[in-house]
Amino acid sequence: MIFLGVNIDHVATLRQARGTRYPSPIEAALVAESAGADLITLHLREDRRHIQDEDVRVMKKLLKTRMNLEMALTQEMVENALAVGPEDVCLVPEKREELTTEGGLDVIRYFDAVKDTTKVLRDAGIRVSIFIDADKQQIEAARDAGAGVIELHTGRYADAQHAAERDAELIRIRDAAVYASQLGFVVNAGHGLSYHNVKPVAAIPEIAELNIGHALVSHALFVGFPAAVREMKALMIEGRQGL
Ligand SMILES: CC(=O)[C@@H](O)[C@H](O)COP(=O)(O)O
Ligand SMILES: NCC(=O)COP(=O)(O)O
């Protein structure tokens, strides 16, 4: 079994482009759930470039599956998470100048803050995931910080320009997934995954969940949101079955 987390950030990107009330990321989330999404992921960024605080509050009341709230390692975001109470929080790095997430959270560098934040959230009944690069030292640091879940950053795999680079990145992800699984982690993955590159990642048996947004929302512009979700889920299942 492999779960699909649909990230609806970029439905909100389209809304923010004009400051209208549409398209609604909340409507997109509910449609995605009805089409087979196993969870909804959303990233409340410090600069609120797409998802807004109200989106998170309202969505938490309406989702039928579960909410995976991505957030930076800040007091503001911790307080917001404690107030909303998502099932999952994923700690991600954030730079205001970045176009999108550029890498995994450096758990080693920010260990004390990660450990303290993880404890506060876990004590509130929230499952904590940490978005990290496929790196053994980062995996071990995430373990020592008390997280039970990691999400492996697949951006370098997705952005690889040559087959050799892509294959090398896939091996890194696979080896990291095996190692993290041996340490007892729930292992997820995401960033930059698309209809063209998802199957080899879905084929890694240690991976429990893929969080996919930009490519899925983009495809939905042409086929509709339900079909985009169904197609992605079908590819993931095919990948897991080695088809
Ligand atoms: C952590 C990650 O890779 C994404 O889930 C994140 O949401 C990317 O940020 P944008 O959605 O703002 O591109
Ligand atoms: N954590 C990855 C995610 O939620 C979606 O990333 P992307 O598919 O929008 O690149």
Side-chain angles (χ1 to χ4, degrees), residues 41-89:
T41 293
L42 65 169
H43 184 181
L44 181 66
R45 281 180 170 266
E46 289 184 275
D47 61 12
R48 294 352 187 241
R49 65 180 69 173
H50 41 54
I51 293 293
Q52 304 301 306
D53 298 69
E54 185 66 10
D55 296 325
V56 182
R57 281 195 290 271
V58 172
M59 207 174 295
K60 184 62 184 69
K61 295 185 173 76
L62 296 176
L63 290 185
K64 303 177 188 66
T65 57
R66 62 184 161 92
M67 175 183 281
N68 174 36
L69 177 62
E70 295 180 332
M71 57 179 243
L73 202 57
T74 67
Q75 188 55 35
E76 177 201 16
M77 290 301 162
V78 170
E79 288 170 6
N80 178 66
L82 293 176
V84 170
E87 287 78 10
D88 292 10
V89 157

Side-chain angles (χ1 to χ4, degrees), residues 69-138:
L69 177 62
E70 295 180 332
M71 57 179 243
L73 202 57
T74 67
Q75 188 55 35
E76 177 201 16
M77 290 301 162
V78 170
E79 288 170 6
N80 178 66
L82 293 176
V84 170
E87 287 78 10
D88 292 10
V89 157
C90 184
L91 301 177
V92 303
E94 228 178 78
K95 287 189 293 193
R96 289 177 188 258
E97 63 276 11
E98 67 186 2
L99 187 60
T100 184
T101 303
E102 296 171 345
L105 182 63
D106 188 341
V107 183
I108 296 167
R109 180 176 180 186
Y110 301 109
F111 182 79
D112 291 343
V114 173
K115 185 174 184 180
D116 294 347
T117 300
T118 299
K119 183 176 187 323
V120 167
L121 293 171
R122 290 192 67 165
D123 287 351
I126 296 170
R127 192 172 70 149
V128 177
S129 173
I130 305 179
F131 188 77
I132 57 172
D133 290 329
D135 176 279
K136 285 192 174 183
Q137 285 70 36
Q138 293 294 342

Side-chain angles (χ1 to χ4, degrees), residues 7 10 41 70 131 151 190-193 211-215:
N7 183 315
H10 298 299
T41 293
E70 295 180 332
F131 188 77
E151 180 169 332
H191 195 90
L193 294 178
N211 286 296
I212 303 171
H214 187 262

